[in-house]
Each structure stands twice: as structure tokens, then as C-alpha cells.
Amino acid sequence: MLNIGCHLSVSDGYEAMGRQALAIGANTFQFFSRNPRGGKAKDIVPEDVNALKKLMEDNSFAPILAHASYTMNLCSKDEKIREFALNALREDLARMHDLPCRLYNFHPGSHVGQGTEKGIEFIAAALNDAIKPEYDVIVLLETMAGKGSEVGSKFEELRMIIDSVELKDKLGVCLDTCHVNDAGYDIVNDLDGVLEQFDSIIGLDRLKAIHLNDSMNPSGSHKDRHEKIGKGHVGIDAITRIINHPSLRDLPFFLETPNELDGYAQEISLLREKYID
């Protein structure tokens, strides 16, 4: 079965997200761990969370994914911003224990002119601070497009972060198809080659989730502008190969395309038709 969902809003509650996912034909979903542009996290109501757990069990959900806020920049040049980000990371990872969610994804951040090595040093230091041996959660580094001073647009940069973290078994990667396309990896014409490169540098065993997005821009543009499935430079043929690839097909796929719920429902239906059981 194709494990696919989209980004949903936690504002109506955790069980409500599960019901929204089912209504659009999804069997997983992604949500922000806190306000995507701010610092406040939604209160955890045990009854609501337990209802989501039961709904997921009853409907054979794939793993769901918590996404850190966009404001969380662990390698900012500003010490106060780094401290804010670290506090958010600490709190988010501690909260995962109370949710039926064992995947937590974040953008590595932007070094803002300090250089990639310094940025990686800050990111690794924050992860070493926040990740605890008792946490039953895998922290995912997201592949980035390379816009501005973003860290993580090269597989080697993600490997450097992993190598600098003590609890490496707690780390994984979320591959974003728009981002890797915009970063210059040719997933359209050479998906096997890209995955071989990923495997040799990072290891496919660390790949835990896919952000499935088309791109408004050609490969190597470093723009990071998501497009609806089949409407961009990645295209439906390449996306079909991605969801059916032996190394990827069993992973959870999360749509972040510019859509409302009805648009996501149409994309999920289309992709289920393209998936080879």
C-alpha cells in the first residue's frame, strides 16, 4: 500500500487531523509541532491524543511526522535566535513522548554568512544537547534546496552533521523531492544514480520519510518553490518512479504542494492510481 498523506493543521486537535486524513484518502499526515512562524506549541490533551492513537490503530496508519517550525534556526549568527531554536527543539523532542509520533523533521538552518562548517558545528551542538537516550523519536534532517546560506543542500553536509552527533541512532533524513531537484540532484533522469549517491554518503537505512513535491523551477535553481504534483519540472513520470522505487516505496510520503484539502485528495487519488501494488 502507498503510505501517503499531506500537511494538516493541528489547531482543531490531534484526532481531527486523523479524521481529515481519512476523509481525503490518506493513511498518514504531517503537522507542525508548534506555530510555524512563532514559538507556541498546542497543549496536549490526553483524551484527544488517545482518540488519535485508536483511530490510527483501527485504520492501519503509517508513521506520522511532526515538522519543526520554520523559525527554528539552530545555526543562526544571532545567539538569541539560536537559544530560542534550541529551547524549541528541547521542548518538541520531550513532547513527542506523549504523542503517537516517532518522526520529527526540521530544516537544518541557515548559517547567515558564518560558513557551512560553523553552521554545522552549531547544529550538531544543539542536537547533542537536545537528544536524549531515552527519547523514542528519530530526528530527521531535511534535504534543502540551497537557497541563500541554507545548510543541507548537499548530502555531504548532512553526513557531516550526523558524524558530529553522539546519538547517531536517533538521526535520520527526510528527502524533499522539490528541494533535491532545486539543489541540482537529477531525480528526473537519474533517480537510481541519486539514490546510489545518497546511499554511499549517508546510507539509505537513514532515509525515513519523503516530502513529495513537484518544483516550479528546473534542477539546480536553488529556489525552493513547491508545485502541485505533475505541474512542475519534476513531473508526474518522475514522481511515479519515485513512489514505486524499491528503495522508497515503503516509506511514508508527505505532500507539501500548494493545495487545500480537496486538492490534496485529488493528488492522493492520482498517486494511488500510479502506485503498483
Side-chain angles (χ1 to χ4, degrees), residues 127-147:
L127 291 171
N128 281 326
D129 179 297
I131 298 175
K132 306 300 181 186
E134 63 269 23
Y135 288 171
D136 183 21
V137 60
I138 302 297
V139 179
L140 306 185
L141 306 166
E142 183 170 339
T143 59
M144 303 307 297
K147 180 177 62 177

Side-chain angles (χ1 to χ4, degrees), residues 195-206:
L195 293 177
E196 287 170 8
Q197 190 175 359
F198 184 99
D199 191 34
S200 67
I201 296 170
I202 297 174
L204 280 169
D205 59 316
R206 290 197 184 274

Side-chain angles (χ1 to χ4, degrees), residues 185-226:
Y185 291 98
D186 191 1
I187 58 172
V188 175
N189 300 299
D190 189 21
L191 177 61
D192 283 338
V194 172
L195 293 177
E196 287 170 8
Q197 190 175 359
F198 184 99
D199 191 34
S200 67
I201 296 170
I202 297 174
L204 280 169
D205 59 316
R206 290 197 184 274
L207 185 55
K208 304 299 183 182
I210 304 285
H211 280 163
L212 192 64
N213 304 300
D214 214 320
S215 175
M216 292 184 181
N217 295 284
S219 181
S221 63
H222 304 292
K223 294 291 187 182
D224 184 11
R225 296 188 66 196
H226 297 193

Side-chain angles (χ1 to χ4, degrees), residues 10-150:
V10 72
S11 60
D12 293 330
Y14 291 100
E15 182 191 14
M17 289 191 292
R19 296 200 177 278
Q20 284 181 330
L22 290 176
I24 61 173
N27 66 334
T28 184
F29 61 88
Q30 170 181 279
F31 64 98
F32 279 120
S33 59
R34 58 186 57 238
N35 187 311
R37 301 294 179 185
K40 184 173 175 52
K42 183 176 177 61
D43 292 337
I44 294 177
V45 179
E47 294 81 4
D48 183 27
V49 171
N50 289 336
L52 173 61
K53 289 178 181 178
K54 185 175 188 309
L55 182 147
M56 290 175 62
E57 291 169 0
D58 290 347
N59 293 278
S60 302
F61 266 55
I64 62 175
L65 177 66
H67 196 304
S69 69
Y70 293 136
T71 56
M72 197 179 87
N73 186 3
L74 294 172
C75 61
S76 172
K77 194 173 184 178
D78 188 318
E79 184 176 356
K80 290 183 179 179
I81 294 176
R82 291 200 310 274
E83 185 63 26
F84 171 86
L86 176 57
N87 287 334
L89 179 64
R90 288 169 177 158
E91 183 179 334
D92 282 355
L93 295 186
R95 284 164 51 90
M96 290 299 104
H97 176 76
D98 297 319
L99 298 172
C101 182
R102 296 296 173 261
L103 297 176
Y104 175 86
N105 178 71
F106 78 104
H107 294 182
S110 297
H111 61 72
V112 200
Q114 302 172 99
T116 301
E117 289 188 7
K118 189 64 176 179
I120 289 172
E121 179 184 325
F122 280 138
I123 295 164
L127 291 171
N128 281 326
D129 179 297
I131 298 175
K132 306 300 181 186
E134 63 269 23
Y135 288 171
D136 183 21
V137 60
I138 302 297
V139 179
L140 306 185
L141 306 166
E142 183 170 339
T143 59
M144 303 307 297
K147 180 177 62 177
S149 61
E150 282 180 341

